[in-house]
Amino acid sequence: METDAVFRALADPSRRALLDRLFARNGQTLMELCDGLAMSRQAVSKHLGILEEATLVTAVKRGREKLHYLNPVPIAEIADRWIGKFERARVKDLVAFKTQLESPEGDTE
Amino acid sequence: MSDPAFVYVIYIRTTPQKLWDALTDPEMRPKFWFGRRSESDWKTGSKHTLWAPDGSIDFQGEVLESDPPRKLTYTFETASPTTNVTYLLEPVEDSVRLTVTHDGFPDDSQQRKGVSNGWPAIMSALKSLLETGDPTPQVMP
């Protein structure tokens, strides 16, 4: 089942960092994704391949380049599996509360 | 065409025809699209309307390309500027790979943000509906 591939792909901090970069700016080339990372181009390319296999990243051809897009759908499936309809709003509130408290401006109010 | 803002992919254990029917059937749409009912004949050049549960128009647009059961492209005209959504249905073994592409957004638009929150929930509910007969419950983001 592809769920295993999703969890395996997410288990690696370098791959999560690549997803963070795509979340910040979607549709990047391999070159752009490598920029500023302490990883070889080959390593980034390999990580992207694993993310693509898990459908967490989708590549779209643009001329000779490929643009990489974050695909959050498998993560939505994981959330739907374990977060019930009536819990969803409460879970969201709690996460927002944590984010507010942990942000640098969180204690100014 | 501009680079797409979003490219979402999901594998659904179904046939392209059943998936196409779910996308275009007015009675099926509310089960995976936050209770919204759709209205169109889904032919190239036709209008389409999505009705909110309270009976108001949620959005309207034009069908740009209709190639059942492979590809459907339509516009969202309600917000400015008009954006395009494309559904690509590709059979893969016993499943269909559904790719949803949404383009035409200006950078950092508010609509872009709202739409990006909604799509994963819509696709997850569509998969659940086709594979189990029950959509997952949805809460508007």
Side-chain angles (χ1 to χ4, degrees):
Chain A
M1 186 42 201
E2 66 258 39
T3 311
D4 291 340
V6 174
F7 282 107
R8 261 200 302 276
L10 289 172
D12 182 277
S14 302
R15 291 197 282 274
R16 292 197 297 273
L18 287 171
L19 294 179
D20 285 337
R21 289 178 79 115
L22 289 177
F23 183 70
R25 193 164 68 80
N26 223 349
Q28 296 190 53
T29 62
L30 174 62
M31 199 102 89
E32 289 169 320
L33 280 169
C34 289
D35 189 35
L37 280 186
M39 260 191 284
S40 70
R41 202 184 154 113
Q42 286 83 348
V44 173
S45 178
K46 197 176 157 222
H47 284 311
L48 284 174
I50 292 167
L51 289 166
E52 273 187 65
E53 243 167 72
T55 67
L56 286 161
V57 164
T58 310
V60 175
K61 280 201 189 108
R62 187 186 63 181
R64 253 182 285 172
E65 290 178 318
K66 276 206 294 186
L67 302 180
H68 298 87
Y69 286 86
L70 172 64
N71 181 37
V73 176
I75 297 166
E77 285 181 66
I78 292 168
D80 281 350
R81 180 167 167 181
W82 284 301
I83 306 176
K85 180 180 183 178
F86 300 105
E87 293 166 306
R88 192 148 308 174
R90 288 199 296 268
V91 171
K92 214 177 148 194
D93 286 347
L94 199 57
V95 172
F97 186 55
K98 173 189 160 81
T99 308
Q100 194 204 336
L101 286 176
E102 291 181 354
S103 70
E105 314 87 65
D107 52 6
T108 56
E109 278 186 60
Chain B
M1 206 193 311
S2 64
D3 291 333
F6 301 104
V7 181
Y8 291 156
V9 174
I10 195 165
Y11 286 84
I12 302 179
R13 235 177 305 109
T14 188
T15 64
Q17 190 59 51
K18 280 186 186 157
L19 181 49
W20 179 273
D21 290 346
L23 289 170
T24 53
D25 182 337
E27 302 309 318
M28 292 278 270
R29 179 71 73 126
K31 294 180 183 169
F32 63 89
W33 202 294
F34 304 108
R36 268 90 174 134
R37 203 167 51 80
S38 67
E39 189 183 319
S40 178
D41 63 9
W42 303 109
K43 292 195 172 104
T44 304
S46 292
K47 290 275 164 209
H48 74 86
T49 306
L50 200 72
W51 301 91
D54 66 2
S56 64
I57 291 175
D58 200 29
F59 68 80
Q60 285 181 300
E62 186 191 336
V63 180
L64 296 179
E65 188 180 346
S66 179
D67 179 15
R70 277 176 293 274
K71 193 179 176 189
L72 179 66
T73 303
Y74 57 74
T75 62
F76 273 89
E77 276 170 12
T78 307
S80 173
T82 296
T83 58
N84 301 325
V85 179
T86 298
Y87 302 83
L88 197 64
L89 290 66
E90 299 165 289
V92 179
E93 292 166 21
D94 64 341
S95 299
V96 182
R97 178 186 160 104
L98 172 66
T99 306
V100 179
T101 310
H102 205 151
D103 55 48
F105 293 97
D107 287 344
D108 304 322
S109 75
Q110 210 43 44
Q111 190 201 2
R112 176 178 178 145
K113 226 171 147 188
V115 163
S116 73
N117 284 335
W119 276 116
I122 288 166
M123 293 174 77
S124 178
L126 179 61
K127 178 186 170 82
S128 173
L129 177 67
L130 284 162
E131 291 185 351
T132 70
D134 289 315
T136 46
Q138 291 178 308
V139 177
M140 262 306 222

